[in-house]
Amino acid sequence: ILAAQQAYRHAGGDITVLSNPGHITASGCNGLSSVDGIDGAVAMRKTNMKAPLAVLPRTAPPLIEYAGDLSQVLPVKTAGPGVILDRSIAKELGAEAGTMLPTTSGAAEIRLAAVFDWDDDGRAATLSGAALAPVAATGAFDECWVRVWPPDKGLEPVMLLATDGDPSAQTTTAPLNPT
């Protein structure tokens, strides 16, 4: 039973994705972490940008911004500030946490703060091959990733506190890994 529980959680089965593009507030999302039964929450937004890595100028990974403590939701430990890369990209670069990566932007280098694994085990492909960058908790976000253990459907209405309250916006919730 414990092995099945660990496998379920490792695959992101305990993460609910609250989606409402442009209508998630980072403060509301991050505040969910203080609710009993919620282990952590982080606001995410996709960008139209690619990570400005000079070593991958043509095949640069998509850049996803997050606000909050990512380690509350994903098993990642950062080595200071910087970008977080999917292990497949880090491996291609021969980089590990702490490596300084040359950029194509104004900054000469950016620090690789951590590497994360994104297995092909049924979870949404959202972070596959992506670069994650921490940002200030300002502006609108697209999703709020909420880790809940043990499962509790009664917490889904509370998760709506992560939205800006716009009644015309459609909010959906779905498991990160429906399998």
Side-chain angles (χ1 to χ4, degrees), residues 27-52:
S27 60
C29 178
N30 298 155
L32 293 175
S33 297
S34 64
V35 174
D36 285 342
I38 294 180
D39 294 337
V42 66
M44 308 277 264
R45 66 178 165 214
K46 297 174 183 153
T47 70
N48 293 328
M49 300 179 296
K50 301 283 187 182

Side-chain angles (χ1 to χ4, degrees), residues 77-147:
K77 293 182 195 279
T78 60
V83 69
I84 300 172
L85 291 177
D86 180 348
R87 185 166 308 281
S88 64
I89 302 299
K91 187 175 180 180
E92 187 176 336
L93 296 172
E96 57 188 38
T99 302
M100 297 302 287
L101 301 170
T103 71
T104 57
S105 68
E109 293 182 314
I110 189 167
R111 180 184 184 86
L112 178 56
V115 175
F116 67 92
D117 293 306
W118 200 254
D119 299 330
D120 184 17
D121 56 6
R123 69 184 85 183
T126 310
L127 301 184
S128 180
L132 307 177
V135 295
T138 59
F141 287 79
D142 301 323
E143 297 177 337
C144 180
W145 290 25
V146 185
R147 184 174 284 272

Side-chain angles (χ1 to χ4, degrees), residues 14-20 23-25 28-33 35-41 143-165 171-175:
D14 61 342
I15 298 173
T16 297
V17 178
L18 181 76
S19 182
N20 192 331
H23 293 281
I24 299 292
T25 67
C29 178
N30 298 155
L32 293 175
S33 297
V35 174
D36 285 342
I38 294 180
D39 294 337
E143 297 177 337
C144 180
W145 290 25
V146 185
R147 184 174 284 272
V148 176
W149 189 259
D152 184 350
K153 289 285 188 186
L155 289 172
E156 285 191 14
V158 175
M159 292 180 198
L160 294 176
L161 294 172
T163 67
D164 63 8
T171 303
T172 60
T173 58

